[in-house]
Amino acid sequence: LEEDERNIISRVGASPSCPLFQPLSGPFCLEHVDYRLDNMLIDETADPMRVTVVDWQSVKLGKPMNDVAYFLGAGLRSAARRDVEADIVHEYHDALGAEGVQDYGWNECWTDYRKGVFAGFGVTVIASMIVGRTQRGDEMFITMARRHARHALDLDAHEFLD
């Protein structure tokens, strides 16, 4: 990991104000916690295409934008994420409104998304410590740590830490 990536990870662990450690308040939802492509079964033969999300053993009540931030942060290379994330989050916010979610403005949504970048650190650290080690697993967890750290750095999310 790069020095700035190691530093933000250390700051997350040491910060009592990290959104990851805060009690739930405001809008909430069921949070998958490990929402990434590895946990999706995609049936391209169905019309419309069908996606089934698996691996629900970590489900909890959480913030609506945590899974969105986790998915984009873990699933996209940093350069690609930077190019598309604002548009994707805008589309997601618009879809929430179209489905009847009220009183959740764009600024609150974007702030929650920025706070949601920390959701990836929990899975990266905890899961890497409880699963059996493999070369593929080590590479995956290093990639996740790097991507989530870079995501937090890109969005200046350090402002939410002590």
Side-chain angles (χ1 to χ4, degrees), residues 11-57:
R11 285 191 64 194
V12 167
S15 174
S17 69
C18 178
L20 185 63
F21 310 133
Q22 298 305 305
L24 188 59
S25 65
F28 65 91
C29 67
L30 286 178
E31 186 180 335
H32 183 278
V33 180
D34 195 15
Y35 196 72
R36 56 192 170 96
L37 283 175
D38 287 16
N39 290 327
M40 296 179 187
L41 305 174
I42 302 170
D43 182 355
E44 294 177 338
T45 65
D47 187 23
M49 181 175 58
R50 185 173 47 227
V51 177
T52 302
V53 179
V54 298
D55 193 15
W56 285 89
Q57 77 263 16

